[in-house]
Amino acid sequence: MKKGMLAVVLLLVIVGIWGCAPPQPTSERWYTPQQVADGKLLFASHCAGCHGDQGQGGSDWDRPKADGSYPPQPLNGSGHSWHHTLSSLEKTLAQGGTHPGATMPGFAEVTTKPQRLAIIAAFQDLWGDLIYSKWLYRAGL
Ligand code: HEC
């Protein structure tokens, strides 16, 4: 193999490995500060009652209650809301809990889609850069 060819192959391998590596923590977000500000107000009136004013969730949130239903999960990045894509989060906010025994109400009647996206921006703004990057890599927009 000629030297030039070898260099090209090596370069492709390096770029390939680089491309597969998980992203480094990013501080770049999909939303604007205005969405976070709007979302915070909506979160306080619609969500904080169950998920906590800082999105900390209910206690023992990962264990079912006596009736088999689950307490509200944290939304501040310590739970598993970062496993869901933006559109599936938006769907949860619109429709509420859909699995059997779910108790979260839907908000499609009382919020618009831009408002629901703003609410998501508000709780994602509580996530550290590492969790946000993991979300982008695993689920994302
Ligand atoms: C009446 C209590 C209640 C209210 C109000 C409520 N939730 Fe929930 N939420 C829950 C419960 C309980 C769950 C767990 C699933 C279930 O049982 O429905 C849940 C689940 C979720 C999940 C899925 C989390 C995960 O880790 O999979 C998200 C996201 C969520 N809620 C966001 C919100 C947002 C945002 C609001 C406000 C617009 C809101 N919830 C209002 C009770 C509530």
Side-chain angles (χ1 to χ4, degrees):
M1 201 188 288
K2 281 186 187 154
K3 265 192 186 160
M5 256 306 259
L6 191 67
V8 169
V9 169
L10 270 179
L11 192 72
L12 286 177
V13 168
I14 290 168
V15 168
I17 292 170
W18 189 268
C20 293
Q24 295 302 305
T26 176
S27 54
E28 259 178 53
R29 305 284 170 124
W30 65 266
Y31 48 78
T32 63
Q34 187 59 56
Q35 281 173 301
V36 175
D38 294 347
K40 272 186 179 168
L41 295 175
L42 293 160
F43 189 93
S45 53
H46 293 306
C47 324
C50 290
H51 289 278
D53 55 354
Q54 291 300 314
Q56 68 272 30
S59 54
D60 290 335
W61 59 269
D62 50 356
R63 256 178 280 153
K65 296 193 284 192
D67 63 1
S69 71
Y70 275 85
Q73 291 100 339
L75 303 176
N76 61 1
S78 65
H80 48 66
S81 46
W82 62 275
H83 294 189
H84 309 295
T85 62
L86 185 61
S87 62
S88 93
L89 287 170
E90 195 275 323
K91 209 168 140 201
T92 301
L93 270 58
Q95 301 178 349
T98 48
H99 62 85
T103 53
M104 172 161 156
F107 292 86
E109 307 282 303
V110 289
T111 55
T112 62
K113 189 170 177 183
Q115 286 177 322
R116 291 190 290 276
L117 289 174
I119 295 173
I120 295 168
F123 70 73
Q124 285 195 320
D125 211 49
L126 302 168
W127 300 1
D129 289 345
L130 186 60
I131 286 292
Y132 185 82
S133 308
K134 283 187 177 177
W135 171 75
L136 267 185
Y137 185 67
R138 175 178 171 146
L141 298 165

